[in-house]
Amino acid sequence: MNTFCKFILSILIAHTVGSVTGQKITPDFSARVDTTNTAIREVSELFTAYLNSRPDSSYQNPNWNPLEYEYYLKGKDSKLERASYFLYFGLKSEQFFRFFDPFVLQIDSLGHNLYEIKTLFWTDQPEKDVIGITTHHARRDHNGEFKLENTINYFTKNWEKVQYEFIEYRLAPGIKFNEEEAIQAVKFCKFIAEKFDLDIIPFTYYLTSNTNDLGRLYNFDYWVFGITGLSNLYLREVYTAYQNLNFPHEFVHIMFPLREKGYAPRVINEGIATWLGGTSYNNTFKDALIKVRKDLEKFEEVTFDGILNQEIRNPFDSDILYVTGALICKLAYKKEGKDAIFKLYNASESTLQEKLEEMFKMPYQKFGEKILDKLIGSNE
């Protein structure tokens, strides 16, 4: 794990101690931002107000275009601003800004009362690093006031749209629709629905060619995360950086129901998707298991807890955790069928250990040893 990721994890551990209140967030502006221009000054003041208005929170932020409220605010953990799903690392914005500084690079007119804001979020703790460069739009409304917007509609306005049964494909320029792949996508989703008695709810699938374009769907011009596949259950949206029309791993995520509160434990959430759909678009669970066994040879000591808390992981992927979760889910399904999967899916981080002990009728430590034996040994 690189230094930056370790630093972020240390913040996540420490942020539960104490709180920060009354902090005024004042972004720096580059020389390119001409605040002598009245409109640009108004946009800069709007953006500053937004940074000070709990941008990590899910509510009808007065600095935002209210026309986007209905689409984006669909639950306690949903976000109005797309970048906020990643930008704050689960921290409160006040705590995030203790460590990261916003630097507005530019505010430019796009014409028709629309402006573009690009902002660098950086830190020098413990060393200089960048989490991302975001892009937001500010549009003047019928009252003459600027309000912020997500950029996805502007970015994708010329993308091809293809409706194929319950999937609406949106293809970036240069990506061609392949009906044979779409058939396989629909077939896989129907298989998952039948296997787990799930309703098929239509969703939108955005196809890009690289992680940078995928990031732009979340208001990032640059992001440190390098994500190549993603699902958003609140928005019913799936995203890929591989141009693939069939993405079993992400389709499992979008097919499973949105929980009433919070998310499933990550090892289970990703474990279900890996067991049924592999770790990426072009491999299977068996392929991933072979790779992870080789990956684990690099570590002097492998423990179950070390995998779950990701002390044991590859530098640039989470395959070890994903495959471990897949083994858990596969064993659970063999034991109690789909009911076992939903028991684990509806567990929390704090109740997962108890659920596993109850399901497998053994102490947690013994269960961990059983999983490690299958993970490292010759038997799947």
Side-chain angles (χ1 to χ4, degrees):
M1 186 183 301
N2 61 35
T3 303
F4 182 69
C5 290
K6 287 181 178 178
F7 167 65
I8 294 302
L9 287 176
S10 71
I11 295 176
L12 290 173
I13 293 170
H15 88 277
T16 56
V17 180
S19 61
V20 180
T21 58
Q23 179 185 12
K24 172 70 174 178
I25 310 304
T26 305
D28 293 319
F29 294 88
S30 78
R32 178 168 168 173
V33 180
D34 180 13
T35 54
T36 64
N37 179 295
T38 301
I40 290 178
R41 184 174 65 252
E42 290 177 5
V43 171
S44 69
E45 291 171 352
L46 170 71
F47 190 65
T48 300
Y50 173 69
L51 294 178
N52 284 277
S53 64
R54 297 184 291 120
D56 61 288
S57 301
S58 178
Y59 76 106
Q60 294 184 358
N61 192 302
N63 301 292
W64 208 265
N65 186 342
L67 295 177
E68 294 195 340
Y69 290 167
E70 183 178 359
Y71 185 78
Y72 286 102
L73 297 178
K74 294 183 176 178
K76 178 179 178 294
D77 296 310
S78 63
K79 305 294 183 183
L80 181 59
E81 195 271 311
R82 297 175 78 98
S84 60
Y85 279 101
F86 303 97
L87 185 63
Y88 302 106
F89 292 99
L91 299 171
K92 296 294 184 183
S93 56
E94 296 94 337
Q95 292 168 322
F96 172 84
F97 286 120
R98 289 178 60 193
F99 301 96
F100 293 92
D101 294 314
F103 185 83
V104 179
L105 301 170
Q106 61 191 78
I107 300 177
D108 294 336
S109 173
L110 299 177
H112 307 292
N113 289 316
L114 183 65
Y115 284 76
E116 183 175 73
I117 310 160
K118 290 188 183 295
T119 309
L120 172 75
F121 290 89
W122 70 283
T123 184
D124 58 3
Q125 303 178 55
E127 58 189 35
K128 287 186 177 180
D129 215 324
V130 173
I131 182 175
I133 298 173
T134 61
T135 299
H136 297 84
H137 283 168
R139 186 185 302 274
R140 195 187 296 275
D141 65 16
H142 63 279
N143 293 320
E145 297 180 348
F146 281 106
K147 298 293 182 182
L148 294 171
E149 296 178 346
N150 291 292
T151 63
I152 185 170
N153 291 334
Y154 187 88
F155 179 57
T156 63
K157 63 182 179 181
N158 295 320
W159 289 24
E160 181 182 4
K161 297 180 183 180
V162 179
Q163 185 71 43
Y164 200 86
E165 293 204 26
F166 47 83
I167 305 175
E168 181 183 298
Y169 287 99
R170 299 194 182 182
L171 296 84
I175 300 177
K176 295 184 178 181
F177 181 78
N178 183 318
E179 186 174 8
E180 187 173 319
E181 237 190 308
I183 290 171
Q184 293 303 312
V186 167
K187 182 179 179 181
F188 179 80
C189 290
K190 289 180 176 179
F191 162 74
I192 295 299
E194 182 177 354
K195 187 178 183 73
F196 295 99
D197 293 330
L198 300 172
D199 294 330
I200 296 179
I201 304 173
F203 60 90
T204 303
Y205 184 17
Y206 289 88
L207 279 71
T208 72
S209 301
N210 53 72
T211 184
N212 295 324
D213 281 350
L214 197 161
R216 290 186 180 99
L217 298 174
Y218 272 82
N219 296 345
F220 283 98
D221 262 18
Y222 163 81
W223 57 356
V224 73
F225 315 103
I227 294 169
T228 53
L230 184 65
S231 298
N232 188 316
L233 271 68
Y234 288 108
L235 305 181
R236 302 298 302 164
E237 294 178 356
V238 178
Y239 322 85
T240 182
Y242 297 118
Q243 305 186 29
N244 52 310
L245 277 77
N246 185 23
F247 204 156
H249 181 99
E250 296 303 332
F251 289 168
V252 173
H253 284 313
I254 204 70
M255 291 296 296
F256 265 67
L258 183 66
R259 290 171 32 134
E260 290 185 7
K261 183 179 179 181
Y263 300 97
R266 190 174 183 221
V267 67
I268 299 302
N269 194 36
E270 297 296 348
I272 296 171
T274 299
W275 165 47
L276 298 166
T279 54
S280 186
Y281 83 98
N282 60 351
N283 74 353
T284 65
F285 168 43
K286 289 183 178 180
D287 296 331
L289 180 58
I290 293 170
K291 174 183 177 296
V292 163
R293 282 178 177 155
K294 292 180 180 178
D295 291 340
L296 288 173
E297 293 175 1
K298 300 178 295 186
F299 297 91
E300 291 185 8
E301 182 181 6
V302 177
T303 65
F304 186 57
D305 284 338
I307 292 174
L308 295 195
N309 62 31
Q310 291 204 277
E311 289 179 1
I312 298 172
R313 57 162 291 155
N314 295 322
F316 297 107
D317 67 52
S318 299
D319 287 2
I320 294 174
L321 178 71
Y322 286 22
V323 169
T324 301
L327 281 172
I328 294 172
C329 293
K330 182 176 182 178
L331 290 178
Y333 187 80
K334 282 185 176 180
K335 196 165 186 65
E336 297 181 13
K338 67 177 185 293
D339 290 343
I341 299 301
F342 283 109
K343 284 180 184 178
L344 298 179
Y345 185 72
N346 290 310
S348 64
E349 295 287 355
S350 62
T351 63
L352 179 60
Q353 178 174 329
E354 178 185 347
K355 297 288 185 184
L356 290 172
E357 289 180 333
E358 180 182 293
M359 185 177 296
F360 289 94
K361 305 293 190 295
M362 65 178 69
Y364 180 73
Q365 183 177 352
K366 188 73 174 177
F367 175 75
E369 292 171 359
K370 178 183 179 73
I371 293 296
L372 285 182
D373 181 60
K374 292 184 172 294
L375 186 64
I376 301 173
S378 59
N379 296 319
E380 182 187 325

